[in-house]
Amino acid sequence: MEFDFIVIGAGSAGCAATNELAKANVGTIAVLEAGYTNRVPQVKIPFGLAWTRGSKRDWKFKSQPTTELGGRSIDVTRGKMLGGSSSINSMVWFRGRRDDFDNWDVDGWAWHDVEGAFEEVESLLKPTRFVDPHPVSEAYGLALGDNGHAPPTPERESAGVFHVNLHSGARRSAADAFLTPAKNTGRVEVLTQANVDRVEFEEGTARRVILTDGRQLSARRGVVLSAGSIGSPTILMRSGIGSGEQLLALGISVQVDAQQVGENLHDHPAVGLHHAGANSGYGLAINQFPHWAVSPFNWLLRRKGRLTSNIVEAGAFFRANPIGTDGDDRPDCQSHFIPFMVGHKGYFITWGAGYSADVNICRPHSRGSLTLRSADPHEQPNIDLALLRDRRDVDTLIYGVKRLRDVLKKAPFETRRAVEVYPGDEVQSDEDIEQFVRDRCATAYHPVGTLRMGQDKGAPVSARLAVREVGNLWVADASIMPKITTANTNAPSMMIGLRAGKMIVNNIQK
Ligand SMILES: Cc1cc2nc3c(=O)[nH]c(=O)nc-3n(C[C@H](O)[C@H](O)[C@H](O)COP(=O)(O)OP(=O)(O)OC[C@H]3O[C@@H](n4cnc5c(N)ncnc54)[C@H](O)[C@@H]3O)c2cc1C
């Protein structure tokens, strides 16, 4: 099997990159996706994400247990299907702050460089205000003043109902927006259940891709690695690009000794406050059973009702830390509001009605890493998320919990106001809040940074997204972000994929 290009991973960025390559008519393209199709109701139905997590369409990665989290390991959910994590996510749409991109400090990636690509992505995904928010979500959206119909913005303190990439009550993933038109060109072949083990090189140029079942594909012009922040560095390491010492210890021959492959792993740390109250949000309560009973028919026949909820309907950005001595007053926390009673131990529906709001650190300081456990591609890597390793992140979440409670008090829930049941009113002192944070901190499922791009020689990937010291191998996914963006990472990942496709086309046409 020989193609001009091989794209590894059909996720948010991989689909966008594929579409650019297909549009430019650069030859034949194979897209290799380890997971399954996305053509199942639980992916199309926005509320279905409650069931896709933990299913065969989730990689079900776990982080390394750490002392900072009291020895806990947490779920690192990643989509394993066409559309990747855009087929399992909550569809909340944010570009990030403008200065996020300026602060990447990489030539060609400042805000004015990336803005046009966001616009192009949005012309296909068409994010719009969630059409049918629960009254408690509307109320939360008014907690920091009336933002009209605009979403909250990370540029300043604000709240609002989120803009989401769902249409006519159904998910619109990267596969729907980019892969379908790419396939329609007739130049793209998509292989599902094609799990990639490694890339092989000839005289330093990427030439072959080897699947875990032994199949081999050849690439005449290049290979694009879009397997995400967990998948891409592990494939690169199995291909011999990583810390030479570590690779040799696992019996992998070294192609390039690149010490920083897998380093710089970070995510948005988050904790949630859970509220219960009859007549507040959605939940499993006897008076809500008739609504749940008709909801599948409502969705199937009218694409309406509670199953159209993306679960995370509204949110806010606010400053939790005192304003910095340098005058820094940027929002440092994001909150997601869920108009459902969810379990205290994660996003599982539990008995009773209620709502929940979390607080995430927008720009965490802690940095972890990802390493291989063995050369066996079926074995999960060691994922050290390093949550709360930097003391400043613990302090931000302590301030953040206090500020979130204040924001919740200001939301005009009126008769629908519920009571905080977890951690509850008794948790007030800094010491007690810190303990709660350590007991419950998880992430917003936004891992980035493991193949950081940069102009410095240590960066595994160049500013043109080429893997250093080899030919015809590019990375297009969230792993290339030097620093996480201030809000959710799906739109930035698609922007990266789209720009990667354009850069590769440009590069080969020179
Ligand atoms: C539960 C959840 C909720 C989220 N909610 C939001 C949200 O509301 N808004 C938002 O902006 N962001 C959200 N995110 C984050 C966002 O979806 C991701 O940042 C984004 O999708 C990352 O894109 P990517 O292209 O880097 O990786 P992915 O989209 O994860 O794509 C990687 C693809 O590569 C495939 N792959 C991996 N390894 C291999 C291999 N060895 N061989 C072949 N294929 C492979 C994977 O199966 C996957 O399809 C959420 C994520 C999750 C998991």
Side-chain angles (χ1 to χ4, degrees):
M1 291 206 276
E2 196 173 24
F3 296 86
D4 288 298
F5 279 93
I6 297 176
V7 179
I8 302 174
S12 299
C15 290
T18 301
N19 196 28
E20 286 306 308
L21 294 174
K23 279 194 307 189
N25 197 0
V26 291
T28 54
I29 304 164
V31 179
L32 308 181
E33 169 53 48
Y36 306 86
T37 70
N38 55 343
R39 295 194 175 280
V40 287
Q42 65 270 30
V43 173
K44 275 284 155 205
I45 297 173
F47 192 77
L49 70 97
W51 296 287
T52 14
R53 287 188 56 233
S55 75
K56 69 176 189 180
R57 287 183 166 78
D58 172 3
W59 282 86
K60 295 191 277 274
F61 293 122
K62 289 269 181 197
S63 70
Q64 295 282 98
T66 59
T67 48
E68 292 83 1
L69 301 188
R72 281 185 307 125
S73 123
I74 62 166
D75 290 342
V76 184
T77 305
R78 299 282 88 201
K80 189 177 184 183
M81 66 188 117
L82 297 180
S85 298
S86 79
S87 291
I88 202 174
N89 73 10
S90 310
M91 293 160 276
V92 173
W93 193 267
F94 281 107
R95 295 175 176 185
R97 278 175 65 89
R98 290 159 182 246
D99 60 10
D100 287 338
F101 304 95
D102 298 338
N103 292 336
W104 279 0
D105 205 15
V106 180
D107 280 354
W109 289 89
W111 170 251
H112 65 265
D113 297 308
V114 302
E115 187 180 7
F118 275 118
E119 280 165 11
E120 237 181 283
V121 165
E122 286 166 5
S123 70
L124 290 172
L125 269 294
K126 297 192 171 58
T128 46
R129 188 181 201 261
F130 175 56
V131 289
D132 193 15
H134 190 285
V136 291
S137 303
E138 293 272 20
Y140 190 73
L142 294 169
L144 292 170
D146 191 349
N147 212 14
H149 262 213
T153 166
E155 301 291 343
R156 59 174 185 279
E157 288 216 341
S158 53
V161 170
F162 283 146
H163 281 210
V164 290
N165 51 300
L166 66 87
H167 291 278
S168 308
R171 175 188 298 275
R172 187 158 169 77
S173 71
D176 302 320
F178 301 108
L179 206 54
T180 303
K183 278 197 289 191
N184 289 342
T185 64
R187 296 187 277 273
V188 176
E189 192 168 330
V190 179
L191 279 73
T192 50
Q193 295 181 63
N195 192 359
V196 171
D197 174 9
R198 63 186 191 277
V199 178
E200 284 187 351
F201 302 86
E202 272 172 23
E203 292 169 3
T205 299
R207 283 284 178 234
R208 268 179 310 282
V209 174
I210 315 295
L211 304 189
T212 56
D213 58 14
R215 281 180 287 170
Q216 300 194 7
L217 293 91
S218 303
R220 282 185 285 263
R221 304 180 85 175
V223 176
V224 184
L225 200 45
S226 294
S229 293
I230 310 299
S232 287
T234 59
I235 293 173
L236 217 48
M237 288 185 230
R238 289 196 297 268
S239 310
I241 301 180
S243 152
E245 241 166 76
Q246 285 174 19
L247 297 183
L248 286 174
L250 298 174
I252 299 172
S253 53
V254 179
Q255 178 75 31
V256 180
D257 183 7
Q259 292 291 324
Q260 291 189 32
V261 168
E263 296 290 311
N264 189 41
L265 171 63
H266 55 297
D267 199 332
H268 291 131
V271 284
L273 304 180
H274 301 265
H275 295 71
N279 193 34
S280 54
Y282 296 117
L284 286 186
I286 289 183
N287 63 347
Q288 295 203 27
F289 279 179
H291 299 285
W292 286 117
V294 298
S295 62
F297 304 101
N298 232 339
W299 190 82
L300 275 171
L301 302 174
R302 301 166 60 225
R303 292 285 193 269
K304 285 193 180 334
R306 51 182 67 191
L307 294 189
T308 64
S309 173
N310 65 320
I311 301 184
V312 186
E313 293 184 358
F317 292 92
F318 50 77
R319 177 100 192 157
N321 281 292
I323 293 176
T325 45
D326 56 354
D328 183 3
D329 63 353
R330 294 172 297 170
D332 51 15
C333 288
Q334 179 181 8
S335 167
H336 298 93
F337 182 83
I338 300 177
F340 288 89
M341 180 68 188
V342 292
H344 303 161
K345 293 185 179 171
Y347 297 124
F348 297 108
I349 307 270
T350 184
W351 285 103
Y355 50 77
S356 155
D358 72 3
V359 53
N360 294 238
I361 305 178
C362 289
R363 293 171 297 279
H365 293 280
S366 304
R367 294 292 183 268
S369 64
L370 188 141
T371 50
L372 288 185
R373 228 171 260 186
S374 80
D376 179 355
H378 298 103
E379 207 169 341
Q380 288 208 359
N382 297 312
I383 303 172
D384 177 12
L385 283 174
L387 298 181
L388 309 182
R389 196 156 294 160
D390 188 305
R391 177 71 215 182
R392 289 170 291 183
D393 292 346
V394 181
D395 292 336
T396 302
L397 280 181
I398 295 173
Y399 282 125
V401 167
K402 294 183 195 169
R403 186 74 210 281
L404 176 59
R405 282 175 165 161
D406 184 48
V407 170
L408 281 157
K409 272 192 197 120
K410 291 193 173 118
F413 293 123
E414 315 290 356
T415 56
R416 293 181 184 270
R417 183 168 293 282
V419 176
E420 186 185 305
V421 288
Y422 193 81
D425 267 356
E426 61 281 14
V427 174
Q428 291 295 342
S429 67
D430 285 5
E431 293 70 28
D432 287 352
I433 296 177
E434 177 171 340
Q435 193 55 52
F436 159 65
V437 164
R438 292 192 184 283
D439 288 346
R440 291 291 182 225
C441 181
T443 78
Y445 309 113
H446 300 158
V448 302
T450 44
L451 293 174
R452 170 180 77 85
M453 69 165 166
Q455 273 121 242
D456 58 301
K457 290 277 175 270
V461 171
S462 76
R464 307 295 293 170
L465 303 182
V467 177
R468 286 192 195 285
E469 293 184 46
V470 291
N472 291 3
L473 181 60
W474 293 272
V475 183
D477 58 34
S479 70
I480 65 106
M481 292 189 204
K483 291 181 203 152
I484 199 162
T485 50
T486 290
N488 313 61
T489 47
N490 192 32
S493 305
M494 292 184 186
M495 175 278 287
I496 289 166
L498 185 131
R499 295 197 81 221
K502 288 187 195 298
M503 284 179 180
I504 295 166
V505 170
N506 234 322
N507 189 284
I508 59 170
Q509 282 171 349
K510 268 185 196 158

